[in-house]
Amino acid sequence: MVQQFNPNNVMTTQSVPSDVATTIIDRIMGQSAILQVAKNVEMQGQKTKKFSFMTGVGGAYWTGETQRIATSKPTFMQAKLEAKKLAVIIPVSKEFLNYSYPTFFSEVTPLIVEQMDKAIDMAVIKGVNTPYADSLANAAKTNGSVLSGDINYDNILALENKLYDKGLQGNAFLSTLTNNPALRTAIQKDAGLYPDKLYDSAAKTLDGMPVVDTQQGVLNKGDLVFGNFDYLYYGLPGNLEVEIDKSAQLSTLTNADGTPINLFEQEMVAMKVTMDVAVLPVRQDAFATLNVNTGDDVLGAVPGDGTDSNDKNAKANTKAKPATDVKPATESK
């Protein structure tokens, strides 16, 4: 069970205007790479939802005049989305709030959006601190669709072939801004006067398919994800909940001396944002990666998981991040 904050530590709360919550969620939707490429399933008011997705269509048949047109059934599969709670608390001094509420919200909204976007993308792409059972990196590893090497013309095509060899067509790449120099130089070698250039910086496409950048710190320089994102679904069961508080004790956030931050004693204000997010890759073979490592624990690595909020020894999830070894054009096992 994901850590719960002790309600006895929160004595008074004040809800913020609904337009603030709308602004935050709109920006999350527009900046999270995963929520940009995944397909939406309507989940209003539901924590879990079963749905069907198509894996094949009926065939087309030649027919003569007055003959019956043959038909065949499309192929459907069942899947279930399950929402998990995502939360962030941002404490600031009361002086920061004294300007006015609108100023306060305009200042903290980018911080909230950044942290929530990173949490979603890190969980779904790499399986870092994730409540979900699978990640794109783990799916690629399970299906032998993992490559290591530099970002260059040959390795990009090899990455695409990981899907094509399975009879799947990819439709987008996930990247990071630090990859742009390498993408611009991904040009066919020894092709004479007219070499093939894969990256179009104006259209932001790679081999004709869109490139969506994650925020800094999600993918490392040299990391690429290729996939058919028609097989990645997400749902948002409810509205974003935003509250401000002046009296809580933040047991999971400490001062320099190790004591918990107490908003009342330290003349501080905290903004708490929670939302439920469901994300599910329905086909593991629809994703391939270049140099992307999975998280330490693909399932159950949420800080504080299984501990009481007052436990000083709550898990901090401070395992060192695995190093990324970039080797020239080799296949990872």
Side-chain angles (χ1 to χ4, degrees), residues 159-333:
L159 185 65
E160 293 179 0
N161 279 332
K162 285 296 182 180
L163 265 64
Y164 299 150
D165 289 345
K166 295 179 173 67
L168 287 168
Q169 170 72 51
N171 56 17
F173 290 87
L174 299 182
S175 183
T176 178
L177 284 173
T178 55
N179 286 338
N180 284 1
L183 292 174
R184 292 191 184 100
T185 58
I187 300 173
Q188 185 180 19
K189 293 182 179 179
D190 304 321
L193 295 176
Y194 305 101
D196 185 23
K197 183 178 181 180
L198 292 177
Y199 185 59
D200 185 337
S201 58
K204 203 161 182 59
T205 60
L206 186 60
D207 203 12
M209 289 169 280
V211 177
V212 179
D213 286 328
T214 62
Q215 290 192 71
Q216 184 177 2
V218 177
L219 288 178
N220 299 320
K221 184 178 181 180
D223 289 357
L224 274 181
V225 179
F226 178 59
N228 186 325
F229 292 95
D230 288 341
Y231 294 112
L232 180 66
Y233 289 83
Y234 80 94
L236 303 176
N239 296 323
L240 196 76
E241 295 182 5
V242 187
E243 295 176 326
I244 59 173
D245 189 85
K246 303 177 182 179
S247 59
Q249 177 171 293
L250 307 181
S251 59
T252 56
L253 186 63
T254 59
N255 296 298
D257 60 1
T259 59
I261 288 179
N262 188 297
L263 301 180
F264 180 78
E265 292 178 348
Q266 297 178 234
E267 288 283 300
M268 298 180 72
V269 176
M271 187 173 186
K272 179 179 73 173
V273 181
T274 59
M275 67 183 295
D276 292 319
V277 184
V279 186
L280 178 67
V282 295
R283 285 191 65 164
Q284 282 194 321
D285 58 354
F287 305 96
T289 61
L290 178 67
N291 303 324
V292 179
N293 287 315
T294 57
D296 288 336
D297 295 302
V298 173
L299 182 63
V302 179
D305 189 16
T307 67
D308 183 82
S309 60
N310 294 321
D311 182 3
K312 293 182 180 180
N313 297 315
K315 290 191 296 184
N317 194 44
T318 55
K319 289 183 180 180
K321 183 179 180 298
T324 301
D325 295 325
V326 179
K327 299 178 181 179
T330 59
E331 186 167 332
S332 296
K333 301 294 184 183

Side-chain angles (χ1 to χ4, degrees), residues 60-78:
Y61 301 91
W62 296 104
T63 184
E65 293 294 333
T66 74
Q67 288 183 328
R68 291 181 180 178
I69 300 174
T71 58
S72 61
K73 292 174 62 177
T75 305
F76 288 93
M77 295 188 69
Q78 290 283 326

